[in-house]
Amino acid sequence: MTVKTLIQKPKPNLLRQFANFTRTTAGLEKTCRLIQSLAQLAIELDITPGSTTTAQWQTARSQIALTRRFFRFFAFIDCFSQVYGLLGGAQGQGLFMTLIEIGRWSCLGLYLVLEDLTILHALGVHPVAWNTPVLVEAFKFWFYSLALSVIGAVWGLLSTSSSSASSKTGSDEKKNKKKNAEKTVSNTDDSQTKAQRTALMKRIVVDGCDLLIPGVFVGWMHVSDLMIGVTMVISTVVSGGDAWVKAQGRPADEQFILSFTPSPRIIYKHTKPLRGSTSRASDKADGDPKGSVIMNIALPDVATQA
């Protein structure tokens, strides 16, 4: 029997993890967004008094915001691709959630298209008089998209809670039938449900915080710029956590694989009699005066249990 073990790779240091994070598009965009939100806080809190310093912070904030627009310049393609997939029935979900998702991605795509139309004005290449009205309409679509996203996430939480409660009731009724198998399936379902609920709660926090930005811009909400900066930091940190983990590739590094050769079912021959053996060969059969025991050992599939 040969045992091959792949040892877990050492966890990279924090600097290496940050480098992996910023090498991805999402990671670099989140980093710029965090710096922009911190600049917003520095302006509102007046950390470094002085008109010159405040002007520098404002310039940094506007330039970083302009830089971030290039990261999402072609993002409308993904949004409309999502809509096309939903219209084609690519994702099996209820009618209400399908309509919510179609409206969400459609509004987000329209926001990105309208924002892209004003990029030359923002760069100072081709100033136009209709820049502000177009941006106002764009931010309205962004507000609609975020609002629909929050509604869909809340509906998903309610649906997940009801489905988990019904599955728990069903498992209680069948408690005496196939107890071990049902326990394994129940644990898997619970972990999946917990992961779904965590993702939905993060989505509510992130989109709920970002909802203030277009709401204030179009005049539908009255919130201070300091509060907007705080909510930007919160949404960036929460959404950036998933991007950080994904950039490190941890699921692939944390796998432990044990492979056995030959087949998991082997025949082991012992030269001495063992108590409680399953089959005993006679002295004449093996030519062994001491007798022998032939044991069939079925090894479990360790690779699937690890």
Side-chain angles (χ1 to χ4, degrees), residues 3 50 74 89 103 130 139 141 149 178 220 243 251 274 277 292 304:
V3 180
F74 293 104
W130 42 264
F139 274 69
F141 281 113
S149 178
K178 299 180 181 179
W220 293 345
L274 295 180
S277 59
S292 62
T304 59

Side-chain angles (χ1 to χ4, degrees), residues 66-137:
L66 179 59
T67 302
R68 291 180 53 237
R69 292 180 62 172
F70 291 100
F71 287 103
R72 59 177 184 266
F73 189 82
F74 293 104
F76 66 90
I77 299 176
D78 294 332
C79 297
F80 293 133
S81 297
Q82 290 281 351
V83 175
Y84 179 78
L86 291 168
L87 291 175
Q91 299 180 5
Q93 51 188 349
L95 177 61
F96 179 76
M97 280 301 301
T98 301
L99 294 177
I100 289 291
E101 290 298 310
I102 290 175
R104 169 195 173 192
W105 290 108
S106 298
C107 291
L108 185 59
L110 291 173
Y111 156 69
L112 293 171
V113 169
L114 293 176
E115 185 189 53
D116 290 345
L117 294 177
T118 63
I119 189 68
L120 294 179
H121 180 92
L123 292 172
V125 176
H126 182 65
V128 291
W130 42 264
N131 175 73
T132 301
V134 170
L135 279 181
V136 170
E137 297 302 320

Side-chain angles (χ1 to χ4, degrees), residues 272-289:
K272 293 184 179 181
L274 295 180
R275 183 176 301 176
S277 59
T278 57
S279 62
R280 184 179 299 273
S282 62
D283 296 344
K284 293 182 180 180
D286 286 340
D288 187 355

Side-chain angles (χ1 to χ4, degrees), residues 24-198:
T24 63
T25 303
L28 188 57
E29 195 277 334
K30 295 299 180 184
T31 303
C32 293
R33 192 176 196 267
L34 181 60
I35 298 174
Q36 178 186 346
S37 59
L38 293 177
Q40 176 77 18
L41 292 178
I43 294 171
E44 297 303 322
L45 295 176
D46 198 13
I47 297 177
T48 53
S51 58
T52 303
T53 307
T54 302
Q56 291 174 343
W57 281 114
Q58 291 174 348
T59 302
R61 180 187 60 182
S62 61
Q63 292 299 318
I64 293 174
L66 179 59
T67 302
R68 291 180 53 237
R69 292 180 62 172
F70 291 100
F71 287 103
R72 59 177 184 266
F73 189 82
F74 293 104
F76 66 90
I77 299 176
D78 294 332
C79 297
F80 293 133
S81 297
Q82 290 281 351
V83 175
Y84 179 78
L86 291 168
L87 291 175
Q91 299 180 5
Q93 51 188 349
L95 177 61
F96 179 76
M97 280 301 301
T98 301
L99 294 177
I100 289 291
E101 290 298 310
I102 290 175
R104 169 195 173 192
W105 290 108
S106 298
C107 291
L108 185 59
L110 291 173
Y111 156 69
L112 293 171
V113 169
L114 293 176
E115 185 189 53
D116 290 345
L117 294 177
T118 63
I119 189 68
L120 294 179
H121 180 92
L123 292 172
V125 176
H126 182 65
V128 291
W130 42 264
N131 175 73
T132 301
V134 170
L135 279 181
V136 170
E137 297 302 320
F139 274 69
K140 287 181 181 179
F141 281 113
W142 187 21
F143 183 90
Y144 299 149
S145 175
L146 293 174
L148 290 173
S149 178
V150 172
I151 293 173
V154 173
W155 181 268
L157 279 177
L158 297 177
S159 302
T160 304
S161 301
S162 60
S163 61
S164 61
S166 61
S167 62
K168 183 178 180 180
T169 304
S171 62
D172 291 339
E173 293 176 354
K174 299 178 180 179
K175 183 171 57 177
N176 297 326
K177 297 180 180 180
K178 299 180 181 179
K179 185 176 181 180
N180 295 331
E182 289 182 356
K183 184 177 180 181
T184 304
V185 174
S186 177
N187 292 336
T188 304
D189 293 340
D190 291 342
S191 61
Q192 292 178 352
T193 302
K194 185 177 179 180
Q196 292 176 358
R197 290 178 60 85
T198 302

